[in-house]
Amino acid sequence: MNKTEKYINLINQVNSLIDNETDFIANLSNIASSIHFTFNFHWTGFYLNNGKELVLGPFQGPIACTRIKYNKGVCGKAFTSAQIINVPDVNEFKGHIACSEHSKSEIVVPVIVDNIVLALIDIDSENYNCFDDTDEHYLAIISKNISKIFKTTEH
Ligand code: SME
């Protein structure tokens, strides 16, 4: 399967997970796993906006920093800009927070509900230049679908 085909399968899987379960943590946990093992990324997970800062949510991969200030790191930039931040080489990103020495490139995708960034999907790769327009396109769709969880379930 090429990347697009993998994403189409992934989106179907994510939608099916969301449609069949209302528990917020259960859904984010399975979605992290689903994304992670589709592409064998180094780290895939969520940071959640608790109203004061970003706090680690469900993830797959090595342990990661638990709290990130709104204006720090790649996650902070995605949070403050409410835009996807695609970093081809983490060494070139000023202020990058290195949770793992194996991480070489990173993409962070905001999950937005009613104009507020409630969560971030954060993905790290062990390869430089891992993420392209295709990743941005499909991860944005996944993010939109995830935003429905925030509207429909307790969290
Ligand atoms: N690298 C991120 C921190 C989170 S870890 O990648 C899991 C950042 O700079 O915001």
Side-chain angles (χ1 to χ4, degrees), residues 20-34:
N20 288 297
E21 175 55 61
T22 57
D23 187 87
F24 177 69
I25 294 294
N27 277 331
L28 292 188
S29 302
N30 270 336
I31 292 166
S33 174
S34 179

Side-chain angles (χ1 to χ4, degrees), residues 1-70:
M1 274 194 284
N2 65 28
K3 190 189 265 193
T4 297
E5 290 164 338
K6 285 184 182 177
Y7 268 113
I8 288 167
N9 278 354
L10 177 59
I11 286 169
N12 286 334
Q13 192 174 30
V14 167
N15 290 343
S16 151
L17 289 166
I18 294 169
D19 289 345
N20 288 297
E21 175 55 61
T22 57
D23 187 87
F24 177 69
I25 294 294
N27 277 331
L28 292 188
S29 302
N30 270 336
I31 292 166
S33 174
S34 179
I35 299 171
H36 189 76
F37 289 104
T38 296
F39 294 104
N40 290 314
F41 291 130
H42 177 63
W43 193 94
T44 308
F46 292 93
Y47 280 92
L48 307 176
N49 175 7
N50 72 355
K52 291 182 185 160
E53 58 191 344
L54 305 168
V55 184
L56 183 64
F59 71 95
Q60 290 283 332
I63 60 168
C65 27
T66 50
R67 289 173 192 269
I68 298 176
K69 298 282 177 212
Y70 284 150

Side-chain angles (χ1 to χ4, degrees), residues 59-113:
F59 71 95
Q60 290 283 332
I63 60 168
C65 27
T66 50
R67 289 173 192 269
I68 298 176
K69 298 282 177 212
Y70 284 150
N71 59 350
K72 298 288 181 191
V74 185
C75 289
K77 185 165 182 193
F79 176 80
T80 51
S81 66
Q83 301 284 329
I84 293 176
I85 306 296
N86 186 351
V87 181
D89 177 352
V90 296
N91 303 303
E92 301 291 320
F93 186 95
K94 197 164 171 279
H96 171 257
I97 301 163
C99 295
S100 160
E101 62 184 279
H102 299 291
S103 184
K104 300 287 190 283
S105 61
E106 175 166 6
I107 190 167
V108 181
V109 181
V111 179
I112 302 170
V113 179

